[in-house]
Amino acid sequence: MRWTSAVVVGILAAAWIALGEPDQSDARFAEAAPPPAGAGKPARIDPKLLKEPHAFPSLAERPGPEDRIVTVARGDTLIGILTDNGVDRGSAHEVVRSLGTVFDVRRLQIGQDITLTFLPGSEGDQFLGMALRPTPERDVLVKLDEAGGFVAEEAERALDQHDAYAAATIESSLYEAALAANMPIDVLMDLVRVFSFDVDFQRDVQAGDRFEVLYDGYDDEFGERVRNGEIRYAAMTLSGKTLSFYKFTPSSGVTDYFGPDGRSVRKTLMRTPVDGARLSSGFGARRHPILGYTKMHKGADFAASNGTPIMAAGDGVVEMAGWNGGYGNYVRIRHNSEIKTAYAHTSRFAKGIRVGSRVKQGQIVAYVGSTGRSTGPHLHYEVLLNGRQVNPMSVKLPAGEQLLGKDLRTLQALIPSVDSRVAAGRTDARVVASNNAGR
């Protein structure tokens, strides 16, 4: 965090500057004098002392405010951080009360930097205030006011939005290729969600396949990336066939990703409702691991660690959420008059998931567990078509929205400008790769 001159000292030092020259206004000096260390309120200066100029250094000699940057650790509280750094308990409570008007102190995160500003003095350091940046776009600070109390302020920070580009050829895994391309993990997860309707990431992705993404990047005033935005364009080349999609909002108002032909990437159901899971058992006859005899397995099992979020495969209404015999904790969602999906062996249900709840595609409905008749943490996922379980990995899913007329023309008019931005990203990537190779 770079608060020292630009933000903290520039604002909080007002409490020190207000002291002024002692021979200009005794009353003003006494009113704005900073409190000594350990006091709950600023101390009043005895006017008699002002008659002894030698007792006060000139402004040129007086030390300026100093910053201490404290990083929040596990178990820390704001009160504790303040008092551990020499702020008296009364002032610390007032700071927390004031900060609560603009920021929920319970949302302090481990690793969060807090800047504390002090004015050094012969009788101890005077606490002037504190500042923190809870989000890249927002600054929050608390400072002394003219009455000697603490007031909180907040300010929005402008970020520089620009195109960000990442592409790579997959050699061993999509994840490792993304890391090698310096692609942020949150953007990778968005890429997986975009293609999850068409791609089985456990079986369809092979060495030699390729991905390419154009997304929004947000930098701070120092040129450092502080946030990643939405994907604008995404493409994957799998076994020589390229799928590409563009982010677009049609007249329906529902933003989605569309191919050049205007067909939405979205299908009625996602094929894999768990990110990063491994298909451990497919649909069909198998020897049951607990019962010990051959039994029809009427779903797909995805091995994942306990607590992994499970997403709704499509929009719908929760038809069942509770214990269901060997299925353990079980959720079933009705998507339309023909299609339902079921999620079994979950450890627990997500907040708000109950019979009659409406859910959106991709919404977390439960978490991976091993309840019921299960040998270890996994999701048992079923697709029911007209009440009969069908293979979730091979069922033909109806396509999403197909753009027509004006919407299709608007999308196709947008594509050349996006393609030119992608081409610029490719050029920049080649320049960077060339420079790195020459080192």
Side-chain angles (χ1 to χ4, degrees), residues 118-148:
F118 296 85
L119 178 64
S122 59
E123 297 184 5
D125 294 344
Q126 161 69 44
F127 179 62
L128 298 182
M130 59 160 286
L132 64 120
R133 182 167 294 166
T135 68
E137 301 95 342
R138 184 171 173 238
D139 290 334
V140 174
L141 62 91
V142 179
K143 64 178 182 178
L144 277 172
D145 63 11
E146 294 180 356

Side-chain angles (χ1 to χ4, degrees), residues 236-378:
M236 291 196 73
T237 300
L238 306 171
S239 300
K241 180 181 179 181
T242 298
L243 300 172
S244 58
F245 296 99
Y246 299 81
K247 186 173 183 289
F248 179 68
T249 305
S251 56
S252 65
V254 179
T255 301
D256 208 340
Y257 292 89
F258 295 86
D261 61 354
R263 187 176 296 280
S264 168
V265 68
R266 192 176 300 273
K267 308 297 189 293
T268 299
L269 300 178
M270 297 170 63
R271 289 194 182 277
T272 54
V274 184
D275 282 339
R278 173 178 59 86
L279 181 66
S280 57
S281 182
F283 187 93
R286 67 166 186 176
R287 185 176 179 81
H288 197 280
I290 293 179
L291 299 178
Y293 56 82
T294 300
K295 186 176 186 293
M296 187 67 178
H297 186 237
K298 298 182 179 181
D301 287 351
F302 295 93
S305 59
N306 196 63
T308 301
I310 299 169
M311 297 175 289
D315 294 357
V317 177
V318 176
E319 188 175 70
M320 181 176 179
W323 189 265
N324 188 15
Y327 282 118
N329 288 329
Y330 174 90
V331 179
R332 188 167 66 239
I333 300 172
R334 183 181 71 255
H335 301 284
N336 57 34
S337 60
E338 297 180 339
I339 300 175
K340 300 177 183 179
T341 55
Y343 315 79
H345 306 306
T346 70
S347 60
R348 59 188 176 92
F349 307 121
K351 184 178 180 180
I353 298 302
R354 60 181 64 90
V355 174
S357 300
R358 290 193 172 275
V359 295
K360 302 294 290 183
Q361 191 168 59
Q363 178 180 334
I364 296 174
V365 296
Y367 299 87
V368 169
S370 187
T371 57
R373 193 178 296 139
S374 169
T375 59
H378 72 285

Side-chain angles (χ1 to χ4, degrees), residues 73-84:
R74 184 177 299 277
D76 279 350
T77 64
L78 184 54
I79 289 284
I81 290 173
L82 292 170
T83 56
D84 287 348

Side-chain angles (χ1 to χ4, degrees), residues 83-263:
T83 56
D84 287 348
N85 282 273
V87 180
D88 69 276
R89 185 163 290 275
S91 294
H93 278 286
E94 187 174 352
V95 168
V96 173
R97 178 200 58 76
S98 177
L99 182 62
T101 62
V102 296
F103 174 71
D104 185 352
V105 296
R106 295 172 298 181
R107 294 186 177 275
L108 274 180
Q109 300 291 318
I110 295 173
Q112 169 78 61
D113 286 338
I114 299 176
T115 302
L116 307 178
T117 302
F118 296 85
L119 178 64
S122 59
E123 297 184 5
D125 294 344
Q126 161 69 44
F127 179 62
L128 298 182
M130 59 160 286
L132 64 120
R133 182 167 294 166
T135 68
E137 301 95 342
R138 184 171 173 238
D139 290 334
V140 174
L141 62 91
V142 179
K143 64 178 182 178
L144 277 172
D145 63 11
E146 294 180 356
F150 290 96
V151 294
E153 297 179 356
E154 60 179 335
E156 297 297 321
R157 301 174 62 249
L159 300 179
D160 175 32
Q161 178 183 344
H162 60 90
D163 285 341
Y165 174 85
T169 298
I170 299 167
E171 296 181 359
S172 57
S173 72
L174 175 62
Y175 177 76
E176 291 182 359
L179 289 183
N182 295 317
M183 181 176 175
I185 296 302
D186 56 338
V187 178
L188 171 61
M189 299 312 295
D190 286 342
L191 174 69
V192 169
R193 290 187 180 97
V194 169
F195 285 95
S196 64
F197 305 98
D198 292 280
V199 178
D200 178 350
F201 284 90
Q202 303 303 319
R203 297 188 294 182
D204 294 347
V205 179
Q206 303 172 7
D209 291 342
R210 183 173 175 80
F211 70 82
E212 183 177 47
V213 182
L214 182 77
Y215 62 98
D216 293 334
Y218 294 86
D219 293 351
D220 63 15
E221 64 269 32
F222 305 103
E224 294 185 0
R225 178 71 57 80
V226 294
R227 185 166 67 83
N228 302 304
E230 296 179 321
I231 291 176
R232 299 291 173 176
Y233 165 86
M236 291 196 73
T237 300
L238 306 171
S239 300
K241 180 181 179 181
T242 298
L243 300 172
S244 58
F245 296 99
Y246 299 81
K247 186 173 183 289
F248 179 68
T249 305
S251 56
S252 65
V254 179
T255 301
D256 208 340
Y257 292 89
F258 295 86
D261 61 354
R263 187 176 296 280

